[in-house]
Amino acid sequence: MTTIRQRKGGKVPEADEDQLSDEKNVKSEGKNLYDHTGGKLWNILSLTVGGIVAISLGLLTSVYVATLHENDLWFSNIKEVEREISFRTECGLYYSYYKQMIQAASIQQGLHGLVYDNKTESVRTINILERMNVYQEVFLSILYRILPIQQYLEPVYFYIYTLFGLQAIYVIALYITSWLLSGTWLSGLLAACWYITNRIDTTRVEFTIPLRENWALPFFAVQIAAITYLFRSHLQPAQERLTLLAVFVATFLFSLTWQFNQFMMLIQALALFILDCFDMLPTAKVTWLYIIQISGLLLVCALQFFNSMILGSLLISFNTSILIARTIQKNLKKGSLLNRLGKLILHALLVSSLTLLVNKFIKKILNLESDEHIFKFLKAKFGFGATRDFDANLYLCEEAFGLLPLNTFSRLSDTLLFYVYILILIPMTITAVIVALRNLSCSNQDQEKVEERTISLKPDAAYNLIHTVLFGCLALSTMRMKYLWTSHMCVFASFGLCSTEIWQLILKCVRLYTSKRTQVIKYLIPIIALLYILYKFWPGIMDELLELREFYDPDTVELMNWIKSNTPNTAVFAGSMQLLAGVKLCTGRTLTNHPHYEDKHLRERTKQIYQIYAKRSPEDVYRILRSFSTDYVILEDSICYERRHSRGCRLRDLLDVANGHIMDGLGENEPDLKPSLYPRFCEEIKKNLPSYTIHFTRVFQNKTFHVYKLAKHK
């Protein structure tokens, strides 16, 4: 029943109502305009301050590592030969091509010398630009020649300052990635501070300057920052296109500067594949990233004169297989939980099978065997059968290719990095598993619900989570790859410590959540962490910058000076691949072998040259060395009487086992190994017996090296 009741207030005139309404609208609009203007100004101020801090930290890092390098070697005071010797092993080989380009009569002649090189491997003409990733040396040498800086800056300083400058880009990229993930530049500041204070485990640029990873990792960090931005929601089409372009450029430069690029990007592609399967990333953007990886690698392949190792890479096969599998299997993201799980298992099996088939097909057509040593090494490392393969054992016995030492975690814990990393990793991993299961349980028909559930763990955070997990596994299994993980660990830990979502989750779990408390903790805890780092490590950094040392390697300096003064320019030298890289850089003499090991013929040649440390007859060793036109052979006591490795991992032991001979010293031997008929060559030659002196004449010796000239019999 409808009733009528008296109004509580009197009737307001219609005109007055309109006036009040207009006044309220004006006030509301004014307040919104004020809030909008204030918020915009605050954002501009935050971006400006955050950008200045990022650039400042990047430049400070460059100056820091440059100062450490100078203090450690007294680089500005030592002779040129000492500077070049400081570029140890493969570093010296790469730098030698920069020096070669600088000293060439013209840029064209320098490039011709690289494309038709007959000094890096005797009796062979090889294309350096095809075999090695040295375009950065070519680019820098051309830049040095055309810029008016020759009178002010030596070529070596132009080279090392460029690499120290790349550290600035590296730190800025890490800073930006953390900032993008957390929404505050305080996170980037913390990431950069952790990178610097954990320098021993995040970079080795100050003592291995020309190493390929020091060129590549800054671009990899830029790529990760661009991918993180790409996975943000509500990007405008123009923003998305520019970000994809940035990803492509960074991917291309990363691929161009490091021979192991394909393996790193394979892990990255695997991360994208896993997340896409669980609806945690936008499929269209993931597809673009697959295409960018393939196109970037193919462009590098073209620049490296269609290097077959790139064409036969697992990355190209894997990404191609994913794109093919998608066209074969449709409606992968529809159905119930069990239905979708079944489809995903079939999809994974199809992609794996296609990858192996495509890769095997490509390698069969190209007759590709350049990377077989890597797979032999991996097979032996992960326990799929013992091996006597010399190349695989050479890697297995190197500490850099072993498991990550436990003391790494104690160092990372001293700065609180590892503790924070684990604190963030556990809840995020649990969240990711829950989100993945929810996504699989939900039919793809309701796009809005799927979108909501994907946002519960944002795509950019999901990508960085799986990235850190997979590269963490790589670092744990292979110490040399830890630099890919520890730098991203700084980003991930700092992001988590400044993340509203992470603190909401943690506080809700302990039933202490309030919005205000979350905001306070989000800023308070990172500031406390920064103050702790500053208090504990600033005095040590200052002391480190005041510690002065000097390069000292008189035996190697004496050897290089003797070679330059007493041997013809066309002389061919044999010896360990690490030492010969220095011989090429310091003297320009021709080598029999070198440390860039990604070539089957070179690996076979190196094994033959290394018979100088095996139990072989002088006639055999002489015949082997002369087959490579060797004029001089350098023997090193540090290898002949090696004590750095344990029995079974010394170079002479690896050669003995590969030759089927019993190893020296106490210990077990395989039952089928037999005693050699000859003594060890590097020891016996020093006795000057007639059977040796007929082929070898000692022409130089000091406490470390013995140089023998080979007779030229008719």
Side-chain angles (χ1 to χ4, degrees), residues 21-308:
S21 176
D22 290 343
E23 287 176 2
K24 287 179 181 177
N25 288 338
V26 168
K27 288 180 180 178
S28 176
E29 287 174 7
K31 186 176 184 298
N32 289 339
L33 182 62
Y34 176 79
D35 290 344
H36 176 72
T37 305
K40 195 172 182 180
L41 287 172
W42 175 254
N43 287 337
I44 292 171
L45 179 63
S46 178
L47 282 170
T48 303
V49 173
I52 291 170
V53 172
I55 294 169
S56 301
L57 282 170
L59 293 174
L60 282 172
T61 305
S62 293
V63 173
Y64 175 51
V65 293
T67 305
L68 289 177
H69 175 258
E70 169 64 25
N71 291 355
D72 193 48
L73 299 175
W74 203 3
F75 201 75
S76 59
N77 190 63
I78 58 179
K79 300 174 183 177
E80 183 181 2
V81 66
E82 293 175 310
R83 290 176 179 176
E84 292 175 346
I85 291 170
S86 72
F87 297 139
R88 303 283 184 181
T89 65
E90 60 186 293
C91 297
L93 182 68
Y94 298 133
Y95 182 78
S96 73
Y97 299 118
Y98 170 77
K99 180 181 176 182
Q100 183 177 324
M101 283 289 296
I102 292 287
Q103 293 179 344
S106 65
I107 294 173
Q108 291 77 7
Q109 286 189 15
L111 290 171
H112 185 273
L114 293 180
V115 175
Y116 301 98
D117 180 277
N118 54 15
K119 294 185 76 69
T120 303
E121 295 177 18
S122 59
V123 303
R124 285 187 76 188
T125 298
I126 62 172
N127 185 343
I128 299 298
L129 295 180
E130 176 193 356
R131 285 272 296 276
M132 303 181 198
N133 298 70
V134 293
Y135 269 101
Q136 51 267 49
E137 276 76 20
V138 172
F139 173 75
L140 268 194
S141 63
I142 294 173
L143 202 60
Y144 183 80
R145 293 175 73 117
I146 62 176
L147 291 175
I149 57 174
Q150 288 88 345
Q151 294 180 352
Y152 314 105
L153 194 65
E154 296 176 62
V156 66
Y157 277 106
F158 184 64
Y159 186 90
I160 65 173
Y161 286 165
T162 299
L163 273 151
F164 292 144
L166 280 176
Q167 282 295 298
I169 294 174
Y170 196 5
V171 170
I172 291 170
L174 297 175
Y175 181 106
I176 290 172
T177 305
S178 187
W179 187 358
L180 288 171
L181 287 167
S182 65
T184 170
W185 57 262
L186 182 63
S187 171
L189 174 60
L190 186 56
C193 289
W194 265 330
Y195 178 85
I196 294 167
T197 53
N198 290 283
R199 176 183 53 80
I200 293 172
D201 295 300
T202 55
T203 183
R204 48 179 175 169
V205 66
E206 74 272 17
F207 60 90
T208 58
I209 297 172
L211 209 60
R212 301 299 84 181
E213 68 187 47
N214 294 328
W215 285 98
L217 292 186
F219 299 121
F220 194 49
V222 171
Q223 187 223 42
I224 294 167
I227 290 174
T228 301
Y229 185 76
L230 178 68
F231 284 135
R232 303 186 92 180
S233 56
H234 309 302
L235 286 183
Q236 297 296 322
Q239 291 176 313
E240 191 170 315
R241 285 194 292 270
L242 284 172
T243 307
L244 286 170
L245 178 62
V247 173
F248 174 77
V249 172
T251 302
F252 167 69
L253 292 173
F254 171 65
S255 303
L256 188 67
T257 50
W258 197 18
Q259 69 268 29
F260 292 137
N261 60 74
Q262 54 178 289
F263 302 105
M264 304 308 107
M265 289 200 296
L266 177 63
I267 295 173
Q268 193 176 54
L270 181 61
L272 296 171
F273 176 72
I274 292 169
L275 292 172
D276 185 37
C277 285
F278 290 106
D279 291 346
M280 298 174 77
L281 295 179
T283 300
K285 292 181 179 180
V286 171
T287 303
W288 272 113
L289 291 176
Y290 290 144
I291 294 169
I292 284 172
Q293 284 188 331
I294 293 173
S295 54
L297 211 54
L298 289 177
L299 182 56
V300 171
C301 180
L303 285 173
Q304 289 193 256
F305 296 81
F306 298 96
N307 185 311
S308 59

Side-chain angles (χ1 to χ4, degrees), residues 683-689 708:
E683 296 175 357
E684 203 69 11
I685 192 173
K686 295 170 187 174
K687 297 178 181 178
N688 291 324
L689 300 174
Y708 293 86

Side-chain angles (χ1 to χ4, degrees), residues 397-437:
C397 287
E398 281 300 318
E399 185 183 4
F401 292 93
L403 299 176
L404 188 66
L406 292 177
N407 60 4
T408 305
F409 300 107
S410 64
R411 288 194 300 271
L412 296 173
S413 300
D414 285 343
T415 61
L416 304 180
L417 175 59
F418 187 65
Y419 294 135
V420 175
Y421 178 77
I422 295 299
L423 175 69
I424 304 305
L425 184 65
I426 291 172
M428 280 200 68
T429 304
I430 294 170
T431 303
V433 171
I434 293 170
V435 170
L437 290 174

Side-chain angles (χ1 to χ4, degrees), residues 355-367:
T355 300
L356 294 175
L357 286 172
V358 170
N359 193 252
K360 194 172 183 66
F361 178 72
I362 292 172
K363 287 184 175 180
K364 190 75 174 175
I365 290 177
L366 300 176
N367 193 27

